[in-house]
Amino acid sequence: MTTTANLTRAEAAERSDRLTVRDYRVELDLGGARDLGRDTFGSTTTVRFTASAPATFLDFLGEVRSVVVNGREVDPAACYDGARITLDGLAAENEVTVVGEAAYSRSGEGLHRFVDPADGETYLYTQYEPADSRRVMAVFEQPDLKAPFTFAVVAPAGWRVLSNQPATGSEDRGDGTVRTAFAPTPPVSSYLTAVVAGRYHRVDGRWSGALADGGTLDVELGVLCRASLAEHLDAEEILTVTRQGLDFFHEHFGTPYPWGKYDQVFVPEYNLGAMENPGCVTFTESYVFRSAATRAQHQGRANTILHEMAHMWFGDLVTPRWWDDLWLKESFADYMGAHASVAATEFTGAWVSFANRRKAWAYTQDQLPTTHPVVADIPDLEAAKQNFDGITYAKGAAVLKQLVAYVGTDAFFAGARRYFAEHAYGSTTLPDLLAALEATSGRELGEWSRLWLQTAGTPTLRAELVAAGDRIGSLSVHQSGTDPRTGQTVVRPHRLAVGLYDLTEADGAAALTRTHRFEVELTGESAPVPGAAGLPRPALVLVNDDDLTYGKLRLDADSLATVREHLGDLREPLARSLVWAALWNATRDALLPAADYLGLVLRHGPAETDSAVLGGLTLNASTAVELYAPPALRDELRLRLGQGSFGHLRDAEPGSDAQLVWARSLARVAATTPAAAPRLRGLLSGSEAVPGLPLDPELRWSLWQALAALGAASLDELDEELARDRTADGATQHLAAVTSFPDADVKAASWDTLMTPGALSNDHVDATLTGFTQPWHRELTAPFTERYFDALRQIWERHSIEIASRLVRRLYPGHQDAVAGRAPQDDPVVLRTTAWLEENADAPAALRRLVIEARDQLLRSLRAQEAARP
Ligand SMILES: [Zn+2]
């Protein structure tokens, strides 16, 4: 990419000062999409705008054939630098037409093209956020320059073609192609436009809502996926959640659904969970379950459906002016995904998994040296691309949950309604939202915003109990926290709950039950828990009970002793989820040995009723063993995790979620445990039968991948499995398996393929990375450490930012062993990383950010290994 592709905030601000965009008309010629020999498609944009300055530029990443400015031909060679089309000699009113050729994408950025190996059908879809609409059409690529877009798309006859608005007509062109014209969109940012084309399978639905004027709003619903996935599409459940969500947001957001129709398309090789294109939401097709799926997976899909639907208002109707305020839409959508799940659907456990899984993402990110305030400083597009992270989504949503506890749900929704009404089809920054919330809550939020949204770092919360015999003498709550970027202490206002729990009996079994709950306003470093003094000493003090605020909880010694014995007896799922989160944070912080965490998961995991939490526990247990356990213990802990997982798999109720979760855990750890190979073969052949366990493609491939990683499967066997599963996913899983062989030649070949831009699609990059980075292959991948550092700058320059980010993150040699007597910062890979950072001070900031984060995670793992040395 040329450097002018990295649009800066200052340039965007200047451009929006000078322009008002009237409208766009965009013609895309996808008629040749099925011909894989054709790498490009025709793209013609006509944009009309007013200008108060004589010059500006359009963004486009492709080849420019012609540029006409107010009827005057301009030589593309003179005005186009590969990223920008300079427009000068502008009048007050302007019309510019750009004819170009744009490339079909294989990286999921721009217009992605995918050929289904199951039936040879070609599928297209667009994905633009933050700045990839310019890979498809000439645009002013910044969120605040909204305008109506009118699309027309030429595609092969027989295809479905969708966009944000309904089609207004189609014309058979007599050459095997059809031109479909679409209604103009309401004013919208370019990154939110979308085109989807192919022989997608479609299920129709409808939703209606009452309007304030007595009328009815009717919205046509569509649920689509590839034809070869149609048998697995449970459209009824998706439509039910969709209608429940529309009911909920229609009632609570005040502004009726603004985008006409509502299509939800599950698309192949998708880089993210979903994207909120108004009226044409795209989702990863891993939400079309072709193998057994846990309730956590269904809940996760419902959450995503509602997250994207909330964006129809937060993000699409009202849009952050620039990427600094990305949180204005993402934090809200994340909050609303869980809130609406609980309020409007059968998935009432959404906050339980949020407390454990989603917040773990935030805590992890927020302790990195690269963390940032929720309201970020995003100087350019490359920085924007890196900021779809645990802060913007999960911490922001957690902070909003705290805000709701602070101002109340009613004031919060009233503020949202006011914000939509005032800023519909416009763009906003933080003060616009605060003004709406202050008006409806009557509370001054400037200080709250400064401390929660404009500082970084995770508060640590703990209780201090002074005993008086077997009673509480005093109980207080304490917080500490520093901003990792500045090192300065930050004390935040928390409205939180403290729960006291005691051991009792329920249904003839031990139970750890809440006996008291106190609400505490913690504004300084500590606050007393009023009313606690004089009560019997509890077995467990749970700070931040009900998960109202954001912070790492440190259990006191007595409470830790209680949960070691009785965590499984804690009946309340949210409380369990919070305790598990505290234990995981302690493990990551080198306060709880990995072996202890593993022991707790194996002991109390079977009592976990929430499959999202249980899935997280087993994943964490693997991470603990691979990264945080001392090297001398690692093999033994792998065996324990494998044997424990198999035992729990056998003991779990046939056909239950728990059975699936333990089976996945077994497959994961088996890839590092040669002794497990016969058992994996037994499961695959059926000689080791586990009643109720579905040997469907997902599980079979995970077992084959583990066998391949151990060198205990042959290429013929993997090919046979592929013959059983001739699907897109089968091909990807097969690739992950064949790149998993513990073989130096296989590693070298994978490395070369990964380094070759465009050699692999995005999904196949991931599959190859999975094979290459098998944790059991540390010795085989060690020779690539030096090559990694040598290649970093080239990786960044040659690959798209999406693919480059994956390569930089996942190829980092982050599995290293602590050595007695050597400080973590003297580990050779840490030293090599530091040297690279020093030698490459001029490297792009986004690349440096990834390398700094990888080094920090390595240091964390070395500290934990060191602290737990036996
Ligand atoms: Zn979102």
Side-chain angles (χ1 to χ4, degrees):
M1 255 203 241
T2 58
T3 51
T4 58
N6 191 16
L7 180 74
T8 68
R9 176 176 52 202
E11 290 168 330
E14 186 182 10
R15 191 161 61 174
S16 66
D17 280 348
R18 293 175 171 188
L19 303 184
T20 305
V21 186
R22 293 206 182 284
D23 56 24
Y24 290 94
R25 272 180 318 186
V26 179
E27 294 261 349
L28 301 178
D29 184 356
L30 312 178
R34 281 188 297 213
D35 176 1
L36 295 185
R38 289 188 60 173
D39 297 331
T40 63
F41 56 92
S43 165
T44 303
T45 299
T46 299
V47 56
R48 295 189 298 173
F49 59 97
T50 63
S52 62
T56 187
F57 57 93
L58 278 162
D59 305 288
F60 183 60
L61 299 176
E63 284 175 45
V64 174
R65 297 267 186 265
S66 82
V67 179
V68 177
V69 180
N70 298 329
R72 168 173 57 92
E73 285 267 359
V74 182
D75 178 10
C79 69
Y80 183 54
D81 69 358
R84 293 184 181 181
I85 302 164
T86 302
L87 308 173
D88 44 28
L90 296 175
E93 295 284 342
N94 301 279
E95 179 172 304
V96 174
T97 298
V98 177
V99 179
E101 287 281 314
Y104 293 107
S105 168
R106 297 192 76 204
S107 69
E109 301 152 290
L111 181 70
H112 191 78
R113 176 165 63 175
F114 175 81
V115 178
D116 188 342
D119 55 13
E121 286 293 337
T122 300
Y123 292 93
L124 307 175
Y125 63 86
T126 56
Q127 170 57 37
Y128 294 154
E129 191 179 22
D132 285 325
S133 69
R134 60 191 168 150
R135 290 180 188 272
V136 172
M137 56 197 175
V139 288
F140 299 112
E141 182 83 84
Q142 61 188 76
D144 60 339
L145 282 175
K146 292 187 175 188
F149 281 76
T150 304
F151 289 100
V153 178
V154 173
W159 277 24
R160 280 185 202 285
V161 185
L162 290 84
S163 185
N164 307 85
Q165 288 293 305
T168 52
S170 62
E171 167 204 338
D172 190 329
R173 305 205 311 165
D175 60 354
T177 66
V178 171
R179 179 180 179 277
T180 305
F182 293 90
T185 66
V188 70
S189 312
S190 67
Y191 80 91
L192 289 167
T193 63
V195 171
V196 172
R199 274 192 223 271
Y200 283 89
H201 166 73
R202 178 182 177 105
V203 177
D204 290 307
R206 170 182 279 259
W207 171 85
S208 301
L211 293 170
D213 64 6
T216 303
L217 176 63
D218 287 315
V219 177
E220 303 287 341
L221 309 177
V223 178
L224 299 94
C225 70
R226 283 187 287 129
S228 66
L229 276 179
E231 59 175 311
H232 303 294
L233 181 69
D234 50 343
E236 272 320 304
E237 182 176 309
I238 292 165
L239 285 168
T240 298
V241 171
T242 303
R243 292 190 190 100
Q244 289 168 332
L246 285 168
D247 282 341
F248 181 82
F249 293 127
H250 186 70
E251 182 188 339
H252 288 87
F253 280 176
T255 303
Y257 175 75
W259 306 104
K261 54 117 183 168
Y262 198 63
D263 288 319
Q264 298 177 96
V265 193
F266 296 84
V267 297
E269 297 195 315
Y270 204 45
N271 284 341
L272 48 160
M275 179 66 206
E276 68 266 24
N277 314 306
C280 191
V281 181
T282 37
F283 292 82
T284 170
E285 62 181 26
S286 60
Y287 283 138
V288 179
F289 306 124
R290 72 186 193 103
S291 296
T294 60
R295 181 163 176 84
Q297 288 172 279
H298 287 266
Q299 176 174 296
R301 181 176 67 184
N303 204 313
T304 304
I305 289 171
L306 297 168
H307 173 122
E308 304 311 326
M309 194 182 287
H311 273 316
M312 298 300 121
W313 290 264
F314 274 117
D316 295 359
L317 181 65
V318 181
T319 308
R321 182 162 301 158
W322 177 250
W323 303 102
D324 314 61
D325 277 311
L326 179 58
W327 78 281
L328 267 179
K329 70 184 184 72
E330 290 310 338
S331 306
F332 275 86
D334 229 42
Y335 175 84
M336 288 297 165
H339 181 87
S341 286
V342 174
T345 78
E346 64 169 295
F347 299 104
T348 52
W351 287 123
V352 174
S353 58
F354 181 86
N356 193 279
R357 312 255 338 235
R358 206 69 173 167
K359 284 177 96 166
W361 184 27
Y363 297 140
T364 298
Q365 192 98 39
D366 209 8
Q367 295 174 81
L368 292 168
T370 54
T371 189
H372 56 86
V374 173
V375 180
D377 174 29
I378 301 298
D380 57 37
L381 286 179
E382 284 199 2
K385 178 79 179 174
Q386 301 300 324
N387 238 36
F388 291 78
D389 64 10
I391 304 300
T392 302
Y393 285 75
K395 181 180 179 181
V399 167
L400 288 179
K401 200 176 179 206
Q402 169 64 193
L403 179 65
V404 172
Y406 193 62
V407 302
T409 312
D410 292 345
F412 181 72
F413 276 98
R417 287 192 287 275
R418 188 182 176 107
Y419 175 74
F420 298 139
E422 281 177 4
H423 302 287
Y425 304 108
S427 56
T428 54
T429 57
L430 169 63
D432 299 315
L433 180 78
L434 291 182
L437 287 169
E438 285 181 339
T440 55
S441 71
R443 295 186 81 145
E444 196 276 316
L445 294 173
E447 185 68 355
W448 181 91
S449 158
R450 188 180 71 74
L451 291 168
W452 276 111
L453 301 176
Q454 291 163 290
T455 64
T458 307
T460 301
L461 301 168
R462 63 185 176 85
E464 204 169 286
L465 189 153
V466 179
D470 56 2
R471 305 248 148 206
I472 297 175
S474 70
L475 179 63
S476 52
V477 183
H478 300 254
Q479 68 166 319
S480 59
T482 50
D483 186 327
R485 303 162 313 142
T486 62
Q488 285 182 340
T489 299
V490 186
V491 176
R492 299 181 178 87
H494 301 263
R495 184 177 186 93
L496 54 80
V498 177
L500 306 185
Y501 290 74
D502 249 323
L503 284 164
T504 56
E505 229 179 68
D507 321 321
L512 192 53
T513 314
R514 184 157 81 186
T515 55
H516 298 85
R517 177 186 187 275
F518 302 99
E519 292 228 346
V520 179
E521 294 259 4
L522 175 63
T523 51
E525 284 179 354
S526 68
V529 179
L535 293 171
R537 273 176 72 179
L540 165 66
V541 181
L542 187 56
V543 180
N544 195 26
D545 206 353
D546 301 332
D547 197 33
L548 300 180
T549 193
Y550 171 81
K552 282 197 297 189
L553 164 62
R554 293 272 188 254
L555 293 167
D556 64 88
D558 289 349
S559 295
L560 181 58
T562 299
V563 302
R564 278 182 190 269
E565 289 300 312
H566 294 287
L567 179 46
D569 301 328
L570 190 52
R571 300 292 175 91
E572 178 52 48
L574 182 56
R576 264 198 327 269
S577 172
L578 290 165
V579 171
W580 279 120
L583 295 170
W584 180 236
N585 279 319
T587 307
R588 285 176 29 86
D589 291 346
L591 298 171
L592 183 71
D596 288 23
Y597 183 84
L598 171 63
L600 287 162
V601 169
L602 292 177
R603 178 169 177 188
H604 298 299
E608 184 50 62
T609 55
D610 186 294
S611 54
V613 174
L614 182 60
L617 298 181
T618 57
L619 256 176
N620 290 347
S622 280
T623 306
V625 171
E626 294 304 324
L627 287 181
Y628 302 142
L633 290 183
R634 197 175 296 134
D635 280 338
E636 181 195 326
L637 297 182
R638 285 168 171 166
L639 272 176
R640 260 180 82 192
L641 177 55
Q643 284 165 355
S645 297
F646 185 67
H648 292 329
L649 158 63
R650 253 193 334 213
D651 294 345
E653 193 187 315
S656 63
D657 281 357
Q659 203 180 31
L660 262 186
V661 172
W662 290 115
R664 291 171 185 171
S665 173
L666 171 66
R668 194 160 44 231
V669 67
T672 60
T673 320
R679 175 160 286 155
L680 304 184
R681 286 203 164 269
L683 285 168
L684 278 164
S685 69
S687 67
E688 177 115 57
V690 179
L693 183 68
L695 269 184
D696 50 28
E698 180 187 329
L699 189 56
R700 290 183 64 86
W701 278 119
S702 66
L703 298 172
W704 278 119
Q705 284 160 12
L707 284 166
L710 298 171
S714 72
L715 191 54
D716 283 349
E717 286 175 314
L718 300 180
D719 290 346
E720 267 172 47
E721 188 66 30
L722 180 61
R724 289 174 62 129
D725 184 22
R726 285 240 169 257
T727 62
D729 186 48
T732 306
Q733 300 302 332
H734 177 262
L735 179 61
V738 300
T739 53
S740 289
F741 289 123
D743 180 304
D745 291 339
V746 171
K747 296 292 176 206
S750 294
W751 178 272
D752 289 344
T753 318
L754 288 168
M755 291 300 129
T756 308
L760 298 167
S761 71
N762 48 354
D763 270 14
H764 287 192
V765 166
D766 275 351
T768 306
L769 283 168
T770 297
F772 186 86
T773 59
Q774 285 290 341
W776 195 56
H777 299 173
R778 293 173 193 217
E779 283 174 26
L780 279 168
T781 48
F784 292 88
T785 296
E786 208 39 51
R787 292 176 71 178
Y788 171 83
F789 288 104
D790 287 345
L792 273 174
R793 301 248 347 211
Q794 273 191 3
I795 290 174
W796 202 257
E797 280 156 24
R798 290 188 186 173
H799 296 259
S800 75
I801 191 164
E802 173 72 34
I803 302 298
S805 301
R806 291 183 198 190
L807 295 173
V808 171
R809 258 195 209 107
R810 293 190 62 189
L811 290 173
Y812 183 81
H815 285 79
Q816 300 298 326
D817 291 347
V819 172
R822 185 171 74 197
Q825 61 270 26
D826 293 332
D827 170 88
V829 173
V830 171
L831 290 173
R832 182 66 186 87
T833 313
T834 304
W836 185 90
L837 286 165
E838 283 168 4
E839 289 157 13
N840 291 276
D842 63 331
L847 169 59
R848 288 178 56 83
R849 172 177 171 171
L850 294 175
V851 175
I852 291 167
E853 289 178 354
R855 179 181 62 178
D856 194 72
Q857 279 155 351
L858 172 56
L859 282 166
R860 179 178 287 273
S861 85
L862 294 169
R863 283 195 298 269
Q865 290 176 30
E866 185 65 34
R869 187 184 301 285

